[in-house]
Amino acid sequence: CNHKFKNEKKCKTPHIYEDQIKEAFIKAFNSLIENKEEIMMGYEVILEELLDTTKLEKKVATIQNEMEIVEELLRKMVDENSRKAMDQKEYSKKYNELVERYKKAQDELNEIEEKQQENKVRKDSIDTFIDRLKSQETILTDFDEALWTSTIDKVVIEDDIIFHFKDGTEIKQEKIRTRWFKGYKALD
């Protein structure tokens, strides 16, 4: 915690050594390897859902169609207003309603495009995670920094260490306590 001693209320996060985190990561990742086949089957379903974009594509087509209709209505309205005298108050009201309708459709389209992008990023993360999991045939005995980088999204340290993997999996590990013997550190 960067603000451990700054305020009146002290941060209660205990100190933890890098070796403790590495050891906990090895245990967490090994628990994934032990259930590798089960995990892989679960991801097949998730990836199918992420790859099935038909619902989103239908929504996009519907919204784009709505936007084209509103654009055409706006064009006709402006054209008619330029050719003949219209009640400008009524014209402004209808024009603003159409603009609001267009903006609403545009916002919906942006939300769907963001969702599509999020799905793509999630799929890529899962693919990377699965590739790393598939390539790891044996349990880890030593810390692998490349494996850490390619699989870990974040680590939360409180009473336990919680590893948040890039695929969305969370694994909780107990903190490894340390003892000191005449200047040497020993892991329990």
Side-chain angles (χ1 to χ4, degrees):
C1 182
N2 291 333
H3 306 288
K4 189 169 187 114
F5 302 109
K6 284 192 177 185
N7 300 321
E8 289 293 319
K9 185 178 177 186
K10 305 296 183 218
C11 176
K12 293 183 183 348
T13 305
H15 182 76
I16 188 164
Y17 293 95
E18 184 177 335
D19 289 343
Q20 292 171 293
I21 296 171
K22 288 178 178 179
E23 187 69 28
F25 169 72
I26 291 169
K27 286 181 180 180
F29 194 80
N30 284 342
S31 73
L32 290 175
I33 292 173
E34 291 168 4
N35 300 314
K36 183 172 22 176
E37 296 305 317
E38 196 176 301
I39 290 169
M40 303 295 242
M41 287 190 307
Y43 282 121
E44 288 176 14
V45 173
I46 292 171
L47 287 174
E48 279 180 33
E49 288 177 16
L50 289 175
L51 294 173
D52 183 14
T53 59
T54 53
K55 287 180 185 176
L56 291 177
E57 288 170 0
K58 284 180 183 178
K59 279 186 179 179
V60 166
T62 302
I63 292 170
Q64 286 175 333
N65 187 43
E66 167 73 5
M67 290 171 71
E68 289 172 8
I69 289 169
V70 173
E71 284 175 354
E72 184 61 25
L73 290 172
L74 280 166
R75 189 190 59 71
K76 285 180 180 178
M77 198 171 156
V78 169
D79 192 41
E80 183 180 343
N81 187 45
S82 68
R83 283 186 284 113
K84 66 179 184 176
M86 294 177 73
D87 178 6
Q88 290 303 299
K89 207 173 192 180
E90 185 65 28
Y91 168 79
S92 278
K93 180 183 173 195
K94 286 183 181 179
Y95 181 86
N96 289 336
E97 287 172 359
L98 287 173
V99 167
E100 195 58 40
R101 185 173 155 189
Y102 185 87
K103 285 180 181 178
K104 182 181 174 191
Q106 182 68 49
D107 290 344
E108 287 179 46
L109 184 63
N110 289 341
E111 283 179 31
I112 291 171
E113 288 172 346
E114 283 179 26
K115 179 146 178 81
Q116 287 174 321
Q117 183 62 30
E118 287 171 9
N119 286 352
K120 183 185 180 320
V121 168
R122 183 155 183 240
K123 181 202 171 296
D124 291 345
S125 289
I126 289 172
D127 283 342
T128 301
F129 182 82
I130 288 173
D131 289 344
R132 260 327 267 210
L133 194 57
K134 280 181 184 176
S135 69
Q136 191 68 38
E137 294 296 325
T138 60
I139 62 169
L140 288 180
T141 55
D142 295 319
F143 180 77
D144 181 340
E145 191 168 335
L147 181 64
W148 169 279
T149 305
S150 65
T151 59
I152 293 294
D153 181 37
K154 67 180 179 180
V155 178
V156 177
I157 300 173
E158 292 173 338
D159 292 329
D160 295 311
I161 303 173
I162 304 169
F163 294 94
H164 296 263
F165 290 86
K166 289 184 178 179
D167 71 325
T169 302
E170 291 180 14
I171 296 181
K172 185 186 288 189
Q173 292 288 315
E174 284 186 22
K175 281 190 275 191
I176 300 167
R177 291 163 184 42
T178 56
R179 300 184 320 251
W180 291 91
F181 297 104
K182 296 181 186 174
Y184 294 99
K185 178 175 66 167
L187 297 177
D188 281 343

PDB file of all heavy atoms in Angstrom, residues 3-12:
ATOM      1  N   HIS A   3       0.216   4.254   0.691  1.00  0.00           N
ATOM      2  CA  HIS A   3      -0.114   5.254   1.697  1.00  0.00           C
ATOM      3  C   HIS A   3      -0.200   4.624   3.086  1.00  0.00           C
ATOM      4  O   HIS A   3      -0.961   5.079   3.933  1.00  0.00           O
ATOM      5  CB  HIS A   3      -1.448   5.924   1.334  1.00  0.00           C
ATOM      6  CG  HIS A   3      -1.448   6.484  -0.042  1.00  0.00           C
ATOM      7  ND1 HIS A   3      -0.746   7.609  -0.383  1.00  0.00           N
ATOM      8  CD2 HIS A   3      -2.030   6.055  -1.185  1.00  0.00           C
ATOM      9  CE1 HIS A   3      -0.911   7.857  -1.668  1.00  0.00           C
ATOM     10  NE2 HIS A   3      -1.680   6.923  -2.184  1.00  0.00           N
ATOM     11  N   LYS A   4       0.593   3.641   3.326  1.00  0.00           N
ATOM     12  CA  LYS A   4       0.534   2.844   4.557  1.00  0.00           C
ATOM     13  C   LYS A   4       0.668   3.691   5.827  1.00  0.00           C
ATOM     14  O   LYS A   4      -0.005   3.439   6.810  1.00  0.00           O
ATOM     15  CB  LYS A   4       1.606   1.764   4.520  1.00  0.00           C
ATOM     16  CG  LYS A   4       1.478   0.755   5.635  1.00  0.00           C
ATOM     17  CD  LYS A   4       2.381  -0.426   5.383  1.00  0.00           C
ATOM     18  CE  LYS A   4       2.110  -1.492   6.396  1.00  0.00           C
ATOM     19  NZ  LYS A   4       1.548  -2.681   5.864  1.00  0.00           N
ATOM     20  N   PHE A   5       1.521   4.692   5.812  1.00  0.00           N
ATOM     21  CA  PHE A   5       1.793   5.449   7.026  1.00  0.00           C
ATOM     22  C   PHE A   5       1.424   6.929   6.907  1.00  0.00           C
ATOM     23  O   PHE A   5       1.790   7.723   7.751  1.00  0.00           O
ATOM     24  CB  PHE A   5       3.280   5.323   7.392  1.00  0.00           C
ATOM     25  CG  PHE A   5       3.705   3.899   7.587  1.00  0.00           C
ATOM     26  CD1 PHE A   5       4.525   3.271   6.655  1.00  0.00           C
ATOM     27  CD2 PHE A   5       3.286   3.178   8.692  1.00  0.00           C
ATOM     28  CE1 PHE A   5       4.925   1.960   6.830  1.00  0.00           C
ATOM     29  CE2 PHE A   5       3.674   1.862   8.876  1.00  0.00           C
ATOM     30  CZ  PHE A   5       4.487   1.245   7.947  1.00  0.00           C
ATOM     31  N   LYS A   6       0.692   7.332   5.864  1.00  0.00           N
ATOM     32  CA  LYS A   6       0.434   8.751   5.631  1.00  0.00           C
ATOM     33  C   LYS A   6      -0.691   9.336   6.475  1.00  0.00           C
ATOM     34  O   LYS A   6      -0.625  10.476   6.869  1.00  0.00           O
ATOM     35  CB  LYS A   6       0.120   8.987   4.156  1.00  0.00           C
ATOM     36  CG  LYS A   6       1.349   8.952   3.296  1.00  0.00           C
ATOM     37  CD  LYS A   6       1.067   9.462   1.919  1.00  0.00           C
ATOM     38  CE  LYS A   6       2.370   9.468   1.137  1.00  0.00           C
ATOM     39  NZ  LYS A   6       2.227  10.049  -0.142  1.00  0.00           N
ATOM     40  N   ASN A   7      -1.739   8.613   6.723  1.00  0.00           N
ATOM     41  CA  ASN A   7      -2.905   9.167   7.402  1.00  0.00           C
ATOM     42  C   ASN A   7      -2.966   8.711   8.848  1.00  0.00           C
ATOM     43  O   ASN A   7      -2.196   7.874   9.289  1.00  0.00           O
ATOM     44  CB  ASN A   7      -4.185   8.739   6.669  1.00  0.00           C
ATOM     45  CG  ASN A   7      -4.185   9.214   5.245  1.00  0.00           C
ATOM     46  OD1 ASN A   7      -3.752  10.313   4.959  1.00  0.00           O
ATOM     47  ND2 ASN A   7      -4.678   8.375   4.343  1.00  0.00           N
ATOM     48  N   GLU A   8      -3.954   9.274   9.577  1.00  0.00           N
ATOM     49  CA  GLU A   8      -4.177   8.850  10.955  1.00  0.00           C
ATOM     50  C   GLU A   8      -4.548   7.371  10.987  1.00  0.00           C
ATOM     51  O   GLU A   8      -4.093   6.622  11.817  1.00  0.00           O
ATOM     52  CB  GLU A   8      -5.313   9.681  11.583  1.00  0.00           C
ATOM     53  CG  GLU A   8      -4.939  11.117  11.853  1.00  0.00           C
ATOM     54  CD  GLU A   8      -3.885  11.255  12.940  1.00  0.00           C
ATOM     55  OE1 GLU A   8      -3.967  10.543  13.949  1.00  0.00           O
ATOM     56  OE2 GLU A   8      -2.969  12.078  12.755  1.00  0.00           O
ATOM     57  N   LYS A   9      -5.420   6.976  10.084  1.00  0.00           N
ATOM     58  CA  LYS A   9      -5.845   5.582  10.000  1.00  0.00           C
ATOM     59  C   LYS A   9      -4.827   4.831   9.134  1.00  0.00           C
ATOM     60  O   LYS A   9      -4.713   5.072   7.944  1.00  0.00           O
ATOM     61  CB  LYS A   9      -7.244   5.506   9.379  1.00  0.00           C
ATOM     62  CG  LYS A   9      -7.821   4.122   9.352  1.00  0.00           C
ATOM     63  CD  LYS A   9      -9.219   4.134   8.763  1.00  0.00           C
ATOM     64  CE  LYS A   9      -9.742   2.720   8.690  1.00  0.00           C
ATOM     65  NZ  LYS A   9     -11.041   2.681   8.000  1.00  0.00           N
ATOM     66  N   LYS A  10      -4.087   3.976   9.752  1.00  0.00           N
ATOM     67  CA  LYS A  10      -3.010   3.250   9.052  1.00  0.00           C
ATOM     68  C   LYS A  10      -3.572   2.089   8.230  1.00  0.00           C
ATOM     69  O   LYS A  10      -4.544   1.443   8.625  1.00  0.00           O
ATOM     70  CB  LYS A  10      -1.995   2.688  10.055  1.00  0.00           C
ATOM     71  CG  LYS A  10      -1.395   3.726  10.981  1.00  0.00           C
ATOM     72  CD  LYS A  10      -0.576   4.739  10.244  1.00  0.00           C
ATOM     73  CE  LYS A  10       0.070   5.718  11.201  1.00  0.00           C
ATOM     74  NZ  LYS A  10       0.124   7.037  10.747  1.00  0.00           N
ATOM     75  N   CYS A  11      -2.947   1.839   7.109  1.00  0.00           N
ATOM     76  CA  CYS A  11      -3.306   0.708   6.261  1.00  0.00           C
ATOM     77  C   CYS A  11      -2.920  -0.574   6.990  1.00  0.00           C
ATOM     78  O   CYS A  11      -1.824  -0.695   7.516  1.00  0.00           O
ATOM     79  CB  CYS A  11      -2.572   0.808   4.921  1.00  0.00           C
ATOM     80  SG  CYS A  11      -2.849  -0.598   3.847  1.00  0.00           S
ATOM     81  N   LYS A  12      -3.826  -1.522   7.017  1.00  0.00           N
ATOM     82  CA  LYS A  12      -3.572  -2.761   7.746  1.00  0.00           C
ATOM     83  C   LYS A  12      -3.020  -3.869   6.855  1.00  0.00           C
ATOM     84  O   LYS A  12      -2.876  -5.005   7.287  1.00  0.00           O
ATOM     85  CB  LYS A  12      -4.859  -3.222   8.413  1.00  0.00           C
ATOM     86  CG  LYS A  12      -5.332  -2.286   9.511  1.00  0.00           C
ATOM     87  CD  LYS A  12      -6.556  -2.850  10.173  1.00  0.00           C
ATOM     88  CE  LYS A  12      -7.207  -2.065  11.222  1.00  0.00           C
ATOM     89  NZ  LYS A  12      -6.807  -0.987  11.872  1.00  0.00           N
TER      90      LYS A  12
END
